[in-house]
């Protein structure tokens, strides 16, 4: 039986959407225990309750922030995450392969599992979507990218926006300068240096971001850290339910 965790509704419209989802789950034949986050019952407490009752699937119903919180508490646990987005970003819809609520419910029924990566802002801020550093003014930043144990390089540039994806891609943009010219130097033991390159996307096993002034790091609209930060790629730490191939094929035929 599935265990559903509703986000605490922010308004009547969200509460009505939750009621609609509950009815839809019953009609689809995948109803289960439904609980709702409240000041008296936190997300973590509700997840632990579900695990203690031996549920093997916990479904997060709500926004990116709520989904990310539930996911964080299921990392490396013997439990699958299902997702029904409400007012969520396109990244969440893309992750599960659903464009609207009914489709997300149908996906749960078929239970197609996929192991996914997550991003981590050390020491303990995991994310399913992305983290952002943004400013109205350009700021100087130094980025150290570690690709392997003895293979790293540093980038010095300016930025107004830095976006870190869950797969540890770092997108850098300075809206006042156009394409970034990143000064890239390899930190080999030999001290080897490479010429400047034009780029705006970096990726590594681990990335350290330092800024000339301390900047807030925002995840799902919430400040979760301040620079300097270190981000790492967490490989296949979570199982989620995604769209089966046959549903996609039937959708194309229809």
């Amino acid at each position: 039986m599935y265990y559903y965790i509703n986000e605490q509704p922010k308004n009547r419209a969200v509460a009505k959407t939750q009621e609609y989802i509950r009815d839809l789950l019953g009609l689809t034949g995948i109803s289960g225990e439904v609980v709702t986050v409240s000041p008296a019952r936190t997300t973590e407490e509700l997840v632990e309750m579900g695990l203690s009752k031996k549920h093997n699937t916990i479904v997060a119903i709500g926004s990116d922030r709520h989904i990310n919180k539930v996911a964080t508490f299921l990392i490396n646990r013997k439990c699958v995450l299902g997702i029904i987005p409400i007012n969520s970003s396109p990244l969440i819809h893309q992750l599960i392969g659903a464009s609207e609520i009914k489709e997300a419910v149908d996906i749960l029924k078929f239970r197609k599992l996929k192991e996914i990566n997550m991003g981590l802002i050390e020491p303990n801020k995991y994310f399913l979507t992305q983290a952002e550093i943004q400013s109205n003014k350009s700021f100087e930043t130094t980025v150290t990218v570690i690709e392997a144990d003895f293979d790293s390089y540093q980038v010095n540039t300016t930025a107004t926006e830095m976006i870190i994806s869950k797969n540890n891609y770092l997108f850098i943009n300075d809206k006042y300068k156009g394409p970034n010219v990143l000064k890239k130097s390899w930190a080999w033991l030999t001290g080897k240096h490479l010429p400047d390159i034009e780029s705006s996307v970096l990726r590594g096993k681990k990335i350290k971001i330092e800024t000339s002034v301390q900047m807030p790091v925002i995840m799902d609209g919430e400040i979760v850290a301040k620079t300097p930060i270190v981000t790492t790629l967490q490989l296949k730490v979570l199982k989620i339910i995604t769209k089966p191939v046959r549903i996609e094929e039937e959708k194309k035929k229809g």
Side-chain angles (χ1 to χ4, degrees):
M1 186 170 68
Y2 286 9
Y3 179 80
Y4 299 91
I5 302 180
N6 277 318
E7 186 173 17
Q8 183 174 0
K10 294 181 179 179
N11 51 52
R12 181 58 186 160
V14 172
K16 288 184 70 174
T17 301
Q18 290 175 345
E19 292 171 8
Y20 164 71
I21 290 171
R22 190 165 190 162
D23 292 341
L24 198 58
L25 291 169
L27 292 172
T28 310
I30 51 172
S31 58
E33 184 177 357
V34 180
V35 296
T36 302
V37 176
S38 70
R41 298 192 300 180
T42 66
T43 305
E44 183 176 9
E45 289 170 339
L46 291 176
V47 170
E48 291 301 326
M49 284 173 56
L51 293 172
S52 69
K53 294 178 180 180
K54 307 300 181 183
H55 290 291
N56 62 2
T57 303
I58 292 179
V59 181
I61 304 175
S63 67
D64 288 30
R65 185 183 301 183
H66 175 66
I67 293 165
N68 198 71
K69 283 183 179 179
V70 175
T72 295
F73 298 127
L74 292 180
I75 289 172
N76 292 323
R77 308 290 285 268
K78 293 182 179 180
C79 188
V80 173
L81 173 68
I83 295 172
I84 302 178
I86 299 178
N87 299 328
S88 295
S89 70
L91 290 172
I92 290 292
H93 288 276
Q94 183 180 7
L95 182 66
I96 62 172
S99 58
E100 46 88 25
I101 287 173
K102 187 178 185 307
E103 189 176 11
V105 170
D106 288 338
I107 286 170
L108 292 179
K109 180 173 61 176
F110 291 99
R111 199 176 165 78
K112 168 67 176 177
L113 304 185
K114 180 181 180 181
E115 281 189 310
I116 65 167
N117 305 332
M118 289 186 71
L120 169 65
I121 299 174
E122 295 184 350
N124 58 7
K125 296 296 182 181
Y126 292 87
F127 55 98
L128 268 178
T129 51
Q130 62 188 32
E132 303 174 10
I133 301 170
Q134 294 185 334
S135 174
N136 291 325
K137 299 180 180 179
S138 295
F139 56 89
E140 295 180 357
T141 180
T142 298
V143 179
T144 304
V145 180
I146 301 171
E147 295 180 324
D149 291 340
F150 299 102
D151 187 358
S152 64
Y153 61 88
Q154 275 193 341
V155 168
N156 299 292
T157 188
T158 61
T160 54
E161 179 182 51
M162 305 178 81
I163 299 175
I164 309 115
S165 78
K166 72 180 181 67
N167 288 313
N168 224 32
Y169 282 93
L170 174 61
F171 301 85
I172 303 173
N173 179 51
D174 189 331
K175 63 183 178 182
Y176 299 112
K177 290 192 175 181
N180 282 281
V181 178
L182 305 181
K183 187 177 180 181
K184 179 177 179 180
S185 60
W186 293 87
W188 294 95
L189 295 177
T190 59
K192 178 181 177 182
H193 293 278
L194 293 181
D196 291 354
I197 61 169
E198 184 176 297
S199 175
S200 59
V201 182
L202 305 171
R203 190 191 186 194
K205 179 180 178 182
K206 180 179 288 191
I207 296 176
K208 182 178 182 180
I209 300 173
E210 300 171 280
T211 53
S212 54
V213 293
Q214 193 173 61
M215 302 289 295
V217 182
I218 299 171
M219 188 189 303
D220 305 323
E222 179 182 11
I223 296 175
V224 296
K226 292 185 178 180
T227 56
I229 61 169
V230 175
T231 68
T232 59
L233 174 62
Q234 304 294 301
L235 292 170
K236 296 183 177 181
V237 293
L238 182 69
K239 285 185 179 179
I240 66 169
I241 299 176
T242 62
K243 177 185 287 187
V245 175
R246 64 177 177 273
I247 291 183
E248 184 64 34
E249 290 175 347
E250 289 173 3
K251 187 176 179 181
K252 289 179 180 178
K253 289 178 182 178

